[in-house]
Amino acid sequence: VEAMNDGYLIAKLYDAGDEVPVVTTIGYIGEKGEKAPEGGAPVAAPAQKAEAKTDESPAVAAKQEIKHLSSGGKIPATPLAKRLAAERGVDLASVTPASGFAIHALDIPAGGGTQQGGAAVKASPLAQRIAQLNGVSLEGIQGSGFGGKIMKGDVMAAGSAGAGAFATAPPLEEKLVKLNGMRKTIARRMSESHTEVPPVTLNTEADVTQLAQLRKQANDLFGGSVKISFNDLVVRACAIALREFPEINASYTPEGIQYKKDVNIGVAVALDDGLIVPVVKHADRLNLAGLSAGIKDLAGRAREGKLGPDEYTGGTFSVSNLGMFGIQTFTPIINQPEACILGVCAITDRLVMEDGGQVAKHRFMGLSLTFDHRCVDGAGGAKFLQRLVQLLESPVALFM
């Protein structure tokens, strides 16, 4: 709340967050060096003195006070009231507060002071907007809000009583869909991972400008027989890096950290009713074309429900790609008992000043690595992610 007077805060009677009755004194404003009243106890707002009363109503008295202040002082009004008055071209000195001393937002005439029979029409901003969009006049509408203010419901009722101005959308269907077996498994495993694993997520990005060029050249060379995707290239980079960082290709157990002898990468596939992560076995032993074909075969059979149990188990690392949805960064949940999962984000274009001083368009891919901090430290996760960036930014090794 904006203070109505200038000066210094010389006493504060309550702390931030305290709840106090309305119109209770919460502090004192005065001149610099001035002392607050003795005791500093909370003081209720002074009641109006009977002898000071005249036959004038409180609204008239407030009006006179505002006129007095407007001659050279500061008109007491809330910040919202001031903003609304400025937007609607209303002179605060011409506004009579409905209650209290200060002018509130409810006191500001709506619609730039639109007159109705000589009096300003008061309506909420939403009511004004609905009326404007549906060609409903505010004149003649009896407001149900404070001080006769026209609210959304009043405008809706007026439109319904008229020529049916409002096109109402059908109500949404409320229903309970029972969990199928897949969704139950996903819920159980994700809950276990979230509660049992202390996860840490690191976010970075790779300049994939050169990668995009080589990908296009490779696909042109294959002539359509093989189509390499960006996801294939990321999985290929992970397969190479996992051999160099065995602590990432591992699992936490109560007995110790289990380092895996095989590099088996799970690739998340979205289904109509859930998610499944088929596993590319021995991914580090496959070339790019073989890896791409394997991923497409597993993903296709996953969507058809034709995977065998051994084709979605035994993973040592997972990749989840949400880049096609424009996601810039996210926090993938670890697929236990694996230690890490990589989130692949959208590719965005940016202008970059190159070494020669020329400005050129570059493409950047976001990467989000979540790891189990029980067996992978922050530095280890960062080094692995750094290696992935190196492979994606200098991608010749991916095509070998």
Side-chain angles (χ1 to χ4, degrees), residues 29-44:
I29 295 176
E31 298 297 329
K32 190 172 184 179
E34 184 180 354
K35 299 294 184 182
E38 291 293 333
V43 180

Side-chain angles (χ1 to χ4, degrees), residues 232-246:
D232 297 336
L233 293 164
V234 172
V235 175
R236 171 69 171 152
C238 290
I240 295 173
L242 286 169
R243 291 191 63 88
E244 302 173 12
F245 293 84

Side-chain angles (χ1 to χ4, degrees), residues 75-340:
I75 296 178
T78 65
L80 178 57
K82 293 178 181 178
R83 181 171 64 80
L84 290 177
E87 291 176 353
R88 300 172 183 176
V90 176
D91 183 4
L92 288 176
S94 67
V95 179
T96 300
S99 61
F101 174 69
I103 298 173
H104 292 76
L106 292 175
D107 301 316
I108 306 299
T114 301
Q115 298 295 314
Q116 177 183 349
V121 176
K122 291 186 177 181
S124 71
L126 179 57
Q128 294 179 57
R129 182 63 174 162
I130 292 175
Q132 179 183 11
L133 290 175
N134 293 276
V136 176
S137 173
L138 294 176
E139 293 190 17
I141 297 179
Q142 184 63 40
S144 61
F146 177 77
K149 187 174 187 177
I150 299 172
M151 309 303 289
K152 169 190 172 184
D154 304 324
V155 180
M156 297 290 288
S160 300
F166 299 97
T168 57
L172 296 174
E173 181 183 3
E174 183 172 337
K175 60 181 178 180
L176 175 65
V177 178
K178 292 186 177 181
L179 301 178
N180 57 24
M182 175 177 290
R183 180 54 62 185
K184 286 181 179 178
T185 302
I186 291 173
R188 176 178 55 81
R189 289 179 59 82
M190 293 300 98
S191 295
E192 290 174 354
S193 179
H194 188 70
T195 56
E196 296 175 6
V197 175
V200 176
T201 301
L202 303 178
N203 298 297
T204 189
E205 61 180 7
D207 186 334
V208 294
T209 307
Q210 187 178 355
L211 180 70
Q213 295 170 352
L214 289 179
R215 170 179 172 265
K216 183 179 183 306
Q217 293 173 9
N219 286 333
D220 291 343
L221 183 63
F222 290 137
S225 59
V226 177
K227 186 175 182 181
I228 304 298
S229 69
F230 281 105
N231 199 59
D232 297 336
L233 293 164
V234 172
V235 175
R236 171 69 171 152
C238 290
I240 295 173
L242 286 169
R243 291 191 63 88
E244 302 173 12
F245 293 84
E247 68 272 21
I248 303 297
N249 198 56
S251 295
Y252 172 85
T253 70
E255 293 76 26
I257 299 174
Q258 179 70 50
Y259 293 90
K260 305 299 178 66
K261 63 183 180 66
D262 296 321
V263 175
N264 301 328
I265 300 180
V267 182
V269 177
L271 307 178
D272 291 337
D273 56 351
L275 177 78
I276 194 168
V277 187
V279 177
V280 181
K281 303 293 177 65
H282 309 296
D284 58 320
R285 304 181 191 178
L286 299 172
N287 60 26
L288 182 57
L291 185 65
S292 177
I295 293 174
K296 288 177 175 58
D297 173 63
L298 288 169
R301 289 191 290 113
R303 296 187 180 96
E304 296 171 357
K306 296 181 179 180
L307 289 180
D310 62 320
E311 292 180 304
Y312 53 81
T313 56
T316 61
F317 183 90
S318 290
V319 174
S320 178
N321 192 338
L322 294 179
M324 67 288 294
F325 301 108
I327 301 301
Q328 300 296 314
T329 181
F330 67 107
T331 305
I333 296 180
I334 294 171
N335 187 22
Q336 286 188 289
E338 300 167 15
C340 300

